[in-house]
Amino acid sequence: MIYDFVNPPSSLDFTNMAKPEIKEYYRWFLENIPTRVCLLEEFINTYYGYENWKADYSIDSLNLLRKWFNFQVEFREMTEQEIAQIKSTLLFEISFDTELPTNRALSIAYDIGMYYGNLLIKNNPTLNWNIYFGSKKSVDYGHPQIFGFGKITFNPIRMLNTQLYILKDEPNDNCLIDLYNIWMEYI
């Protein structure tokens, strides 16, 4: 099976998007969760040892998903142009990682983020998806978030992207369950 990369209808440059455009993306996001989760399940089922994994939104489903996710972490070297672009924004020279997750790894993290967000909601009825319209300076401005953790929100897509960087250096079979337990403390 060829993995079908996620293809959002807009650039995802939320700080430069108008609120109606962000709301349209949010509608697309919610409508596409079932499709993307189904594709994720089908893709995972093509791997030996994961043929019976089900996207059933159970906490137990995280056990195999977390192990499978460890093997999906892929990075590529930045191009000279990408490095130059970053350096042009720096006030002074610093060293930085010149590797980026591949588009495939980012797409998988996006799909797992959708699944993960819905898993949180289905197992905790006080939680729900919503759009973060706080400060435009926030990295989460305009992003679909999980609300219901009091004053804080949870961005599962960003968190799964962050997990890519963590898992790059140190695979962790407990990453998704640990994350779940941490966020349950905020309810």
Side-chain angles (χ1 to χ4, degrees):
M1 172 183 178
I2 296 174
Y3 177 65
D4 186 23
F5 289 14
V6 68
N7 189 18
S10 58
S11 71
L12 306 185
D13 181 10
F14 295 107
T15 55
N16 291 316
M17 291 167 64
K19 281 189 178 180
E21 190 179 2
I22 291 172
K23 289 177 182 178
E24 182 58 36
Y25 166 76
Y26 178 68
R27 277 190 292 281
W28 173 89
F29 180 87
L30 293 178
E31 288 172 4
N32 279 275
I33 290 174
T35 302
R36 296 306 308 175
V37 168
C38 184
L39 287 170
L40 178 67
E41 180 179 297
E42 290 173 4
F43 186 56
I44 291 172
N45 292 160
T46 65
Y47 284 77
Y48 179 76
Y50 299 92
E51 303 90 339
N52 297 316
W53 183 80
K54 297 291 178 225
D56 61 7
Y57 297 107
S58 69
I59 306 304
D60 287 341
S61 71
L62 295 178
N63 289 320
L64 276 180
L65 181 59
R66 64 194 164 107
K67 290 177 185 175
W68 179 83
F69 186 47
N70 273 326
F71 297 108
Q72 305 312 309
V73 176
E74 301 173 334
F75 279 72
R76 66 169 179 84
E77 280 294 322
M78 287 179 160
T79 65
E80 299 271 333
Q81 183 179 359
E82 289 168 328
I83 292 170
Q85 208 284 315
I86 289 174
K87 285 183 176 181
S88 73
T89 64
L90 300 174
L91 296 176
F92 49 89
E93 192 162 325
I94 60 168
S95 62
F96 56 91
D97 190 350
T98 59
E99 290 188 319
L100 294 173
T102 64
N103 288 338
R104 179 182 177 278
L106 288 169
S107 187
I108 288 170
Y110 189 99
D111 287 344
I112 293 174
M114 287 176 135
Y115 176 72
Y116 200 80
N118 262 15
L119 182 144
L120 289 171
I121 290 167
K122 290 184 185 294
N123 287 284
N124 301 282
T126 61
L127 303 178
N128 63 291
W129 286 107
N130 213 326
I131 308 170
Y132 178 77
F133 280 124
S135 170
K136 272 197 163 192
K137 293 179 181 181
S138 170
V139 295
D140 289 323
Y141 177 82
H143 288 249
Q145 303 274 318
I146 303 295
F147 282 63
F149 294 107
K151 293 182 180 183
I152 58 173
T153 61
F154 177 67
N155 183 338
I157 308 296
R158 180 174 310 288
M159 186 57 66
L160 268 291
N161 285 341
T162 301
Q163 290 298 313
L164 286 171
Y165 286 94
I166 294 168
L167 295 174
K168 172 187 162 207
D169 296 326
E170 191 174 319
N172 176 354
D173 282 346
N174 295 318
C175 66
L176 298 179
I177 298 217
D178 290 348
L179 194 60
Y180 181 86
N181 291 332
I182 289 167
W183 281 92
M184 290 306 96
E185 292 177 16
Y186 289 105
I187 294 181

